[in-house]
Amino acid sequence: MNQMTSKTLFVAALLFAGGTAQAADFQALRVNAPATLSRAGDSVALLPQGAVMTGDVVSAGPRGKVALQLDRQGLITLSSLGDLQVFEAKALRGKQPASAKLKLLAGALRVDSRAAKGKPAQDVRVNVGSLKTRIFNAEAWGANTAEGDTFCLLAGTVSVQTDASTEERLETPGSCLRREPDGQISRFAADTDAVIVGAISATTFEGMSPIASTLVAELEASGKVAAPAPAPAAVASAPMRSAVPAPAADASGGWTVVVLSLAKPEPVAARAQALAEQGLPASTRSATVNGVTMHRVAVGSFASQAEARAYAASTLAKSGIKGWAAPL
């Protein structure tokens, strides 16, 4: 079978599955393009009402967003530059709740598994990078980004497994847990980080998930944080000025600031382009970590680690961008 025939059959199967939503593991409730669905090595545009099956990978491109439903209830929203893999999905069967096992490969994801309209709660388990989470009858947000693996509770109670033997619970709405790139675990409140507030807001479709939108509105109104900056791919404002000079992206040096590091190159290239459009000296690089090739967005080239850290703490931080100093 040639490649064109294989692609045609895949598209036809996808359209057929989208027209028979009851047979699907997930259904795309709403889609902001660009968004794609990858299955068995082929990729096509994901359309509203399209079926998402076990083994599929859903990707949201720059400014894209996808809202999924499992068994016609709950809500799972993938934000811009996000990649989500479906490992398992089961519909409601008798007393067994609808359940899913997912892996967030990149970007941010919000899950609402609460009981609603006479339907029982769902049991959704999501690997957010190195964090293994269980979201049962709750709403939560997670992100797999350069600053670490982050998980925040929006409603209910959730459990988070940080390693093979440690499990923690989040019980207060707005509480967050993060695993830093160096493995350190920290806890903090969402209202202490304007970037987190903005990222949570970015996973909200208008008219959906009142808990998340209400929490964000309360945090902004409290005066504890400023109104959130747009998601990195959507920022169009002029670059911030700083006392630290912006270095040339291709200059040779000993240190740089890494703002994204993923095994998948496509979202890294898109993030680098978005930062370059802001006037920042962003470039893509690769590094081998534990035998795996990681693709990175690097900003600038510096003679010392101190200079790289100063640039990250001033120019990048003022633009709502987090990163860490790394050797070139």
Side-chain angles (χ1 to χ4, degrees):
M1 183 182 295
N2 61 39
Q3 184 176 1
M4 183 62 70
T5 303
S6 176
K7 185 89 168 185
T8 302
L9 290 175
F10 170 61
V11 174
L14 178 63
L15 292 175
F16 176 76
T20 57
Q22 68 275 11
D25 296 332
F26 283 97
Q27 183 180 23
L29 189 63
R30 290 179 63 175
V31 177
N32 283 359
T36 60
L37 178 67
S38 299
R39 182 181 300 162
D42 289 313
S43 296
V44 297
L46 179 62
L47 303 177
Q49 310 307 313
V52 179
M53 313 298 287
T54 297
D56 290 350
V57 175
V58 176
S59 300
R63 298 178 174 85
K65 191 186 302 184
V66 178
L68 302 172
Q69 274 195 324
L70 172 63
D71 199 20
R72 301 193 179 209
Q73 67 178 99
L75 191 66
I76 296 176
T77 308
L78 181 68
S79 67
S80 175
L81 298 179
D83 295 299
L84 178 68
Q85 186 171 12
V86 179
F87 279 101
E88 181 181 281
K90 296 180 180 179
L92 174 67
R93 291 182 178 88
K95 295 183 179 180
Q96 294 297 318
S99 62
K101 293 181 180 179
L102 311 169
K103 184 174 183 179
L104 181 62
L105 303 175
L109 181 76
R110 184 173 49 77
V111 177
D112 185 351
S113 66
R114 294 170 296 167
K117 297 181 179 179
K119 293 185 177 181
Q122 297 181 323
D123 189 359
V124 180
R125 298 169 190 253
V126 185
N127 285 5
V128 179
S130 60
L131 302 178
K132 297 181 179 180
T133 72
R134 184 186 183 190
I135 309 167
F136 177 73
N137 196 26
E139 184 174 20
W141 173 91
N144 181 357
T145 61
E147 55 266 26
D149 306 321
T150 307
F151 193 73
C152 297
L153 176 66
L154 301 179
T157 301
V158 295
S159 61
V160 184
Q161 187 175 345
T162 58
D163 57 39
S165 60
T166 305
E167 182 172 289
E168 302 195 33
R169 290 178 69 81
L170 298 179
E171 300 177 334
T172 304
S175 59
C176 303
L177 183 149
R178 174 178 291 155
R179 186 184 182 93
E180 308 285 348
D182 62 2
Q184 294 296 314
I185 302 296
S186 61
R187 279 178 173 261
F188 61 96
D191 62 4
T192 64
D193 192 327
V195 174
I196 291 291
V197 176
I200 293 173
S201 181
T203 54
T204 303
F205 272 102
E206 183 178 357
M208 293 184 176
S209 186
I211 292 292
S213 57
T214 299
L215 176 63
V216 171
E218 289 177 352
L219 292 174
E220 294 173 11
S222 69
K224 295 180 180 179
V225 296
V235 173
S237 58
M240 301 294 293
R241 292 184 178 273
S242 169
V244 181
D250 59 352
S252 61
W255 292 83
T256 188
V257 178
V258 176
V259 299
L260 184 64
S261 181
L262 300 171
K264 192 173 182 179
E266 291 81 5
V268 171
R271 179 71 180 275
Q273 181 179 355
L275 293 178
E277 290 174 355
Q278 297 181 53
L280 294 171
S283 62
T284 58
R285 301 177 183 271
S286 61
T288 301
V289 180
N290 296 327
V292 178
T293 299
M294 301 298 292
H295 302 275
R296 294 176 168 178
V297 177
V299 182
S301 179
F302 304 88
S304 69
Q305 183 182 30
E307 291 179 7
R309 286 178 172 175
Y311 184 72
S314 55
T315 299
L316 296 185
K318 290 178 181 178
S319 298
I321 301 168
K322 292 188 176 182
W324 73 90
L328 284 171

